[in-house]
Amino acid sequence: MNTILGCIADDFTGATDLASILARSGAPINIRLGTPSPEVEAGDESITAPAAAPFEIIALKCRTSPVEEAVSETRNALHWLQARGARQFYWKYCSTFDSTDQGNIGPVAESLLQQLAADAAGKRQTVYCPAFPENGRSVYQSHLFVGTRLLSDSPMKDHPLTPMRNSNLLELLEPQTRMSVGAITRNTIREGSDAIRRQLHRLAEQGIAHVVVDAIDMSDLRAIAEATIDMPLITGGSALALHLPELYRQRGWLNRSESIPSLPKTRRASIVLSGSCSAMTRNQVTRYCQQAPSFQLDPLKLAMENQLEQAMQWLDAQNEHDSVMIYSTAAPERVCAAQEQLGRERGGELVETALATLAVHACNNGVQRVVTAGGETSGAVVKALGVSTLQVSREIAPGVPWTFSRRQGENLALALKSGNFGEEDFFEKALAILDETPEP
Ligand code: ADP
């Protein structure tokens, strides 16, 4: 199968979010956890690893990495996708544009543009489209809104790693890029794809490489997708991808008959691991605490009281047929208190390492169903589990599909949820879907 769209996501839940949008087309999708190395492709794993799909997504964990590291990792990923023959490339970041002035969204886009320019007649322009109207993210006059509030007034202002205190995407991008930044505002977007194309051309003539596009509803996204279908690189949240499969079908690039795989059988025991402190996850955790045995991790206790050992013992004492939850999810005051004592990075690292270790422990003891909440958290968990490719299956909630993989000769079902996604009943809803597939 030829690859049509090659995507690079800056975190693991970003990859599953994009996958769930593309999966609505019915076409198969692979998520590669890290760029596959030549050794892996040539070795044992190639026997079980799925063949290339029309949509290939490389999930990285580079949202908060130092810039040079993120640039180097994304260049390798692009190289792999280019070698699969992808016709268009997608740099996927969060719909809340998570990054700091030292952040990676702009520098990575710039470096990918340079890498692609060699192939694509020197075209050095891309669009930035974080809007996701279905999930309440819209861009107007280059300002990003979360629901009815500006990003800087939303709960994202208190994010543990990337607190978003500015909503102006031009101002966020400018310090990150060397080439010029410009905008296409809603007045042009709503005129449709031809008007957008003309405006992109005008901006290119002025040397503007980075173009922030307004979008407040789905028809805006469609017009932007149409106008940029010949751009080698597009960037954004996941929603811009919604119309791509249909556009590729119209061009005869994508077959109608290809279909996503159904979920394989897994044992009933499951674990929910939550390291996200986002407002929606806090509600989800509060609700699920009333339904499943739960254990709360605390970075200060992990640092000072070896709480990981206690959590491990607690996990071993649970009934192996039940669903359990382990979480570090906490309110902003508590996160701040931990960060003041331990530092932002150390606090996050302690929690991520603990959740990842517990995930491995659970799976080594027979758990085949894992739900994770939090982008960084999910990245840490799947890396520790050592899985390399996820095949995408049914969508649980907008932006979150069930995925499956093989680990130590068994099926493993994984739902990786970005902090803000899903409704309050997300955890029970996700696991109920698996109950519909019979146990082995
Ligand atoms: P989200 O998708 O909501 O942004 P992430 O997992 O990406 O969630 O980010 C949350 C970060 O906060 C992680 O690095 C995690 O380790 C850290 N964290 C989680 N719980 C706590 C806590 N109680 N105190 C301090 N940091 C925490």
Side-chain angles (χ1 to χ4, degrees):
M1 242 182 282
N2 284 340
T3 298
I4 301 161
L5 181 68
C7 312
I8 305 170
D10 70 350
D11 81 345
F12 286 34
T13 50
T16 50
D17 169 13
L18 180 58
S20 82
I21 297 292
L22 289 166
R24 293 183 193 175
S25 69
I29 301 154
N30 289 329
I31 301 175
R32 312 281 174 171
L33 303 170
T35 305
S37 63
E39 300 80 56
V40 167
E41 291 196 278
D44 280 356
E45 283 217 23
S46 65
I47 300 162
T48 49
F55 302 132
E56 285 284 342
I57 304 174
I58 297 188
L60 299 177
K61 191 174 180 308
C62 64
R63 179 169 299 164
T64 53
S65 314
V67 172
E68 311 75 62
E69 222 174 281
V71 163
S72 151
E73 283 183 24
T74 48
R75 285 184 84 87
N76 286 341
L78 183 69
H79 189 71
W80 189 88
L81 293 165
Q82 282 176 305
R84 304 276 132 353
R87 293 168 183 252
Q88 192 171 34
F89 301 89
Y90 199 111
W91 167 224
K92 157 75 178 77
Y93 39 82
C94 192
S95 63
T96 42
F97 215 76
D98 304 14
S99 64
T100 61
D101 278 359
Q102 292 74 43
N104 296 327
I105 294 180
V108 165
E110 206 152 76
S111 127
L112 298 180
L113 275 178
Q114 274 159 0
Q115 199 173 339
L116 285 166
D119 295 4
K123 283 188 188 169
R124 290 202 189 177
Q125 191 183 51
T126 189
V127 288
Y128 292 78
C129 183
F132 193 159
E134 200 180 349
N135 274 355
R137 315 285 192 268
S138 54
V139 179
Y140 186 66
Q141 304 295 359
S142 308
H143 283 65
L144 181 53
F145 290 81
V146 176
T148 55
R149 293 179 183 175
L150 280 166
L151 174 67
S152 50
D153 296 328
S154 78
M156 283 305 295
K157 69 182 189 310
D158 299 317
H159 189 276
L161 302 178
T162 48
M164 300 307 290
R165 306 272 160 90
N166 188 351
S167 312
N168 184 330
L169 297 177
L170 302 174
E171 287 177 11
L172 286 166
L173 263 183
E174 253 151 20
Q176 296 183 6
T177 54
R178 276 174 294 178
M179 294 189 278
S180 307
V181 177
I184 302 185
T185 55
R186 181 89 201 308
N187 284 349
T188 305
I189 302 288
R190 73 163 180 218
E191 281 177 36
S193 57
D194 287 344
I196 300 170
R197 227 179 265 122
R198 282 195 298 275
Q199 188 60 13
L200 283 169
H201 188 68
R202 263 180 237 126
L203 293 172
E205 283 176 345
Q206 295 163 29
I208 291 176
H210 305 279
V211 184
V212 171
V213 287
D214 281 6
I216 62 174
D217 61 28
M218 294 313 277
S219 62
D220 294 342
L221 291 176
R222 192 188 161 87
I224 295 164
E226 277 172 6
T228 57
I229 192 81
D230 291 313
M231 242 183 200
L233 176 71
I234 51 180
T235 89
S238 57
L240 179 60
L242 186 62
H243 297 288
L244 295 178
E246 191 193 326
L247 295 170
Y248 296 153
R249 281 190 173 123
Q250 282 168 11
R251 297 195 151 202
W253 295 352
L254 181 65
N255 211 319
R256 282 194 187 274
S257 58
E258 288 156 339
S259 62
I260 58 167
S262 50
L263 279 159
K265 296 169 183 177
T266 44
R267 281 186 292 274
R268 204 176 155 78
S270 56
I271 187 162
V272 174
L273 297 151
S274 176
S276 160
C277 299
S278 301
M280 181 46 84
T281 309
R282 295 209 305 277
N283 294 340
Q284 290 162 341
V285 164
T286 305
R287 180 177 165 124
Y288 203 60
C289 270
Q290 288 154 15
Q291 297 176 31
S294 309
F295 187 100
Q296 183 169 23
L297 295 173
D298 177 337
L300 293 171
K301 289 187 185 162
L302 284 167
M304 289 158 206
E305 298 171 22
N306 195 13
Q307 196 193 25
L308 179 54
E309 192 56 47
Q310 295 160 26
M312 205 83 94
Q313 284 167 11
W314 176 86
L315 191 54
D316 288 339
Q318 302 309 305
N319 184 330
E320 64 186 40
H321 303 296
D322 279 349
S323 171
V324 298
M325 174 166 68
I326 299 182
Y327 64 100
S328 65
T329 304
E333 314 79 70
R334 209 161 148 181
V335 172
C336 281
Q339 289 181 340
E340 262 164 37
Q341 287 204 45
L342 299 166
R344 180 180 290 181
E345 272 178 29
R346 172 115 174 92
E349 196 182 289
L350 277 165
V351 167
E352 286 174 34
T353 306
L355 288 169
T357 308
L358 291 159
V360 171
H361 187 69
C363 292
N364 287 349
N365 287 305
V367 170
Q368 290 180 284
R369 302 177 177 186
V370 178
V371 181
T372 59
E376 296 292 326
T377 306
S378 302
V381 167
V382 290
K383 268 197 173 171
L385 287 173
V387 289
S388 60
T389 306
L390 304 179
Q391 287 180 273
V392 177
S393 190
R394 256 182 79 172
E395 191 172 41
I396 306 162
V400 202
W402 268 113
T403 68
F404 61 91
S405 182
R406 298 281 293 170
R407 180 178 183 271
Q408 297 180 353
E410 292 211 305
N411 292 326
L412 178 65
L414 282 158
L416 312 178
K417 186 194 83 78
S418 161
N420 288 306
F421 284 6
E423 300 294 323
E424 262 181 43
D425 61 352
F426 177 82
F427 298 136
E428 68 228 54
K429 194 174 158 196
L431 294 168
I433 290 175
L434 292 188
D435 288 340
E436 291 163 18
T437 58
E439 288 192 51

